[in-house]
């Protein structure tokens, strides 16, 4: 490793990875949801679990909420609850995809009354941000059509633009929204925000408080995601990531599981784009997980995922930037590629273990969690009540 180790460690300490409240609840496929023991029954219990992930990794200090899944009467009290457990509330994720009214869309629905209802929900999410102190609203729309001719593609873009403008208008000075795109599902013919270009165009029109979020599972197979990342960073329009891994579609599996090399290539662009350095001066790129754990225990899976992001980041930080530039400038194709591959092939686990020791943490977070007895405790305590899951 030619880059100074102390610098790499300092950068890794600064990278915060946000975990999603829904990762701690039950999830599955449309075929079956397997309930697990010890699953949270309330937003507070989800926060308790998120606090465990931070406790063993030291770099996951915030938890994203999904509304209405995490609806409470007193959001300021929930924020205080999180603070008492050493974490804070992160991005607010809106949900306009689970109400019967939204069968034909939410903000792009042909019926004005449904559009109003959807917009009111998005505005309510900003009200919640005011109470929790969250600065980021995540907008994902399941809106789209299934059949050619079903609705007017352009009219739906107009309706989308109108809703986004209304939300943008409502944002406070320190708040922003991140617009998420997804290639297909649940709609199969057209999605109203299918790709980064569509999201980018809407965001550019609105201004700096509108940015794009890249969910790594929302692309066609073979898409060069690091190109999208490089482009958006250059335009200062990359607001954050929803990290997960995919083999086929929107699998929502643990980040870095299917293709750790892709994650490294993405993080290389992030490092090059200055998005890891001092967050107060650099771009505010949020590193969020958007995952579900259908068959694996949830808390260790989140810990593992945070570690996977850290490993890819550590490798990206190990790239010998000067050697890479030299090879690139010289047109040395093989040499440049070799510099990148050397970094990818570096075993960064000893460095990360050392970093954790420096931070007063156990070098092996998953093992430390298992030894703690937390799972046995929640499995015994969390009996009865309604376990959290999609829609709960
Ligand atoms: C969507 C999208 C959103 C997430 C929901 C649960 O596919 O990825 O970001 O909030 O799922
Ligand atoms: Mn997502």
């Amino acid at each position: 490793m030619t880059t100074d180790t102390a610098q790499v460690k300092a950068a890794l300490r600064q990278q915060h990875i946000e975990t999603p409240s829904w990762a701690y609840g039950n999830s599955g496929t449309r075929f079956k949801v397997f309930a697990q023991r010890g699953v949270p029954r309330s937003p507070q219990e989800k926060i308790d679990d998120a606090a465990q992930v931070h406790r063993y990794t030291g770099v996951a200090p915030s938890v994203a909420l999904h509304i209405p899944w995490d609806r409470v009467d007193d959001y300021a009290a929930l924020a205080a609850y999180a603070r008492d457990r050493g974490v804070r509330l992160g991005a607010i994720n809106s949900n306009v995809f689970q109400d019967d009214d939204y069968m034909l869309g939410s903000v792009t629905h042909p019926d004005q009354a449904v559009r109003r209802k959807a917009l009111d929900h998005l505005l309510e999410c900003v009200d919640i941000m005011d109470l929790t102190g969250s600065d980021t609203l995540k907008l994902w729309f399941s809106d789209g059509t299934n059949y050619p001719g079903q609705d007017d593609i352009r009219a739906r873009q107009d309706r989308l633009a109108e809703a986004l403008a209304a939300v943008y208008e409502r944002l406070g000075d320190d708040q922003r929204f991140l617009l998420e795109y997804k290639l297909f599902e649940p709609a199969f013919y057209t999605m109203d925000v299918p790709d980064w270009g569509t999201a980018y165009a809407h965001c550019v029109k609105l201004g700096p408080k509108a940015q794009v979020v890249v969910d790594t599972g929302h692309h066609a197979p073979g898409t060069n995601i690091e190109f999208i990342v490089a482009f958006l960073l250059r335009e200062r329009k990359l607001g954050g990531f929803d990290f997960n891994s995919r083999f086929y579609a929107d699998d929502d599996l643990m980040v870095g599981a299917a293709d750790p090399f892709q994650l490294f290539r993405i993080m290389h662009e992030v490092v090059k784009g200055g998005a890891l350095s001092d967050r107060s001066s650099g771009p505010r790129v949020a590193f969020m997980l958007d995952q579900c754990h259908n068959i694996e225990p949830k808390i260790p899976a989140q810990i593992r995922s945070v570690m996977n992001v850290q490993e890819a980041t550590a490798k990206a930080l190990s790239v010998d930037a000067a050697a890479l530039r030299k090879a690139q400038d010289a047109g040395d194709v093989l040499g440049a590629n070799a510099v990148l591959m050397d970094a990818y092939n570096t075993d960064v686990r000893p460095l990360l273990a050392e970093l954790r020791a420096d931070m007063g943490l156990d070098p092996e977070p998953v093992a430390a969690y298992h030894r703690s007895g937390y799972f046995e405790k929640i499995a015994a305590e969390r009996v009865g009540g309604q376990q959290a899951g999609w829609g709960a």
Side-chain angles (χ1 to χ4, degrees):
M1 211 182 303
T2 48
T3 320
D4 180 27
T5 309
Q7 253 176 299
V8 172
K9 282 196 202 164
L12 287 167
R13 268 179 193 247
Q14 274 186 22
Q15 184 190 32
H16 288 162
I17 298 150
E18 181 163 303
T19 74
S21 71
W22 53 102
Y24 304 102
N26 282 324
S27 64
T29 65
R30 63 201 167 99
F31 298 101
K32 171 72 179 165
V33 174
F34 296 100
Q36 294 190 16
R37 287 162 65 219
V39 158
R41 282 98 28 100
S42 64
Q44 286 81 358
E45 289 182 350
K46 293 179 198 174
I47 290 170
D48 292 342
D49 291 0
Q52 291 293 307
V53 178
H54 183 45
R55 177 167 183 182
Y56 295 103
T57 62
V59 291
S62 63
V63 52
L65 299 186
H66 218 296
I67 309 297
W69 298 342
D70 297 314
R71 186 164 269 153
V72 291
D73 290 334
D74 188 341
Y75 288 98
L78 191 68
Y81 182 94
R83 262 197 310 279
D84 286 347
R85 274 140 196 90
V87 290
R88 59 185 162 71
L89 303 180
I92 301 297
N93 287 252
S94 56
N95 182 329
V96 282
F97 53 89
Q98 281 186 313
D99 190 290
D100 283 339
D101 281 341
Y102 300 141
M103 188 170 77
L104 300 180
S106 64
V107 293
T108 67
H109 196 286
D111 181 345
Q112 147 75 21
V114 177
R115 296 205 294 275
R116 183 69 241 179
K117 172 174 167 167
L119 176 59
D120 284 344
H121 170 73
L122 304 182
L123 297 175
E124 180 203 351
C125 287
V126 187
D127 293 341
I128 293 171
M129 291 163 70
D130 289 341
L131 295 168
T132 58
S134 308
D135 63 4
T136 300
L137 171 66
K138 179 129 56 73
L139 301 173
W140 176 68
F141 299 107
S142 60
D143 298 43
T145 64
N146 271 1
Y147 294 99
Q150 179 189 321
D151 197 5
D152 184 323
I153 293 174
R154 286 181 57 160
R156 291 177 77 93
Q157 287 301 311
D158 293 341
R159 297 170 201 150
L160 172 66
E162 201 181 308
L164 292 176
V167 177
Y168 192 90
E169 194 60 32
R170 166 67 184 82
L171 292 173
D173 291 343
D174 297 325
Q175 295 172 338
R176 61 174 175 168
F177 76 59
L178 307 186
L179 181 57
E180 183 167 353
Y181 57 90
K182 185 176 177 185
L183 172 70
F184 81 101
E185 198 203 19
F188 294 115
Y189 173 55
T190 57
M191 287 291 277
D192 292 319
V193 191
D195 52 26
W196 71 269
T198 308
Y200 173 76
H202 280 283
C203 290
V204 163
K205 208 163 264 180
L206 290 167
K209 290 190 278 182
Q211 293 181 305
V212 181
V213 54
V214 173
D215 183 313
T216 45
H218 289 188
H219 307 84
T223 300
N224 184 333
I225 299 178
E226 60 270 27
F227 173 83
I228 300 170
V229 169
F231 184 93
L232 290 175
L233 271 174
R234 182 172 179 274
E235 300 292 334
R236 301 190 79 79
K237 277 294 178 198
L238 181 71
F241 290 95
D242 266 4
F243 279 131
N244 50 52
S245 119
R246 69 193 289 278
F247 290 100
Y248 298 106
D250 188 23
D251 304 357
D252 281 341
L253 299 175
M254 291 194 297
V255 57
D259 190 349
F261 184 43
Q262 178 190 59
L263 186 59
F264 161 77
R265 299 192 312 262
I266 290 171
M267 292 314 304
H268 172 57
E269 291 306 328
V270 168
V271 169
K272 284 200 62 190
L276 253 200
S277 49
D278 182 7
R279 297 276 291 282
S280 54
S281 57
R284 276 157 80 201
V285 174
F287 301 100
M288 301 174 286
L289 304 180
D290 178 12
Q291 302 183 167
C292 293
H293 305 295
N294 303 349
I295 58 168
E296 63 275 34
K298 295 156 198 305
I299 297 172
Q302 285 288 290
I303 294 175
R304 180 73 248 175
S305 302
V306 169
M307 293 169 69
N308 285 354
V309 175
Q310 278 190 306
E311 281 177 24
T313 306
K315 290 181 182 207
L317 287 163
S318 310
V319 171
D320 185 338
L324 182 61
R325 169 53 56 87
K326 201 169 157 222
Q328 288 173 343
D329 288 350
D332 180 0
V333 176
L334 291 179
N337 178 244
V339 172
L340 213 63
M341 294 313 294
D342 277 347
Y344 177 64
N345 289 318
T346 305
D347 184 359
V348 293
R349 289 171 302 178
L351 174 103
L352 284 163
E354 209 181 286
L355 170 70
R356 291 185 189 112
D358 293 352
M359 293 168 77
L361 300 169
D362 192 297
E364 290 184 43
V366 176
Y369 166 76
H370 283 312
R371 274 198 313 271
S372 73
Y374 183 80
F375 174 70
E376 290 70 20
K377 182 171 159 290
I378 56 174
E381 280 172 12
R382 295 177 182 171
V383 176
Q386 169 86 37
Q387 288 191 323
W390 276 54

